[in-house]
Amino acid sequence: MSNPTLEPKIKELLELKRMKEELEAEINAMEDEIKQAMGDEETLFAGAFKVSWKPYTSSRFDSVRFRKDHADLAAAYMKQNTARRFSIN
């Protein structure tokens, strides 16, 4: 299928994605700067803002290890999905 009328829309989409990556990098840099200023402190007050950076613990299922240790059991619970991948080259 060919549709040259979509080329401007695709160009705009790619530009927006590029801008998003730049903004995400800028956001991460600012967050890192604030974290560095906080050091080991868990809470920071900056004018009207309260910033928290607290440790937490989470538990996650290690599916890779489970498949390795119990391959037959893991295979019995696997299900396949079919999806469509969107990409622009």
Side-chain angles (χ1 to χ4, degrees), residues 32-45:
D32 289 345
E33 188 177 332
I34 294 167
K35 289 174 185 176
Q36 185 176 11
M38 291 179 75
D40 292 334
E41 297 296 323
E42 293 184 2
T43 306
L44 168 80
F45 292 95

Side-chain angles (χ1 to χ4, degrees), residues 45-79:
F45 292 95
F49 300 99
K50 176 183 174 185
V51 180
S52 297
W53 186 33
K54 299 180 180 183
Y56 69 94
T57 303
S58 65
S59 297
R60 294 192 172 104
F61 184 72
D62 187 349
S63 62
V64 172
R65 182 172 170 201
F66 184 78
R67 283 193 301 266
K68 179 181 170 191
D69 294 347
H70 307 283
D72 294 340
L73 186 57
Y77 285 90
M78 290 291 184
K79 70 177 188 176

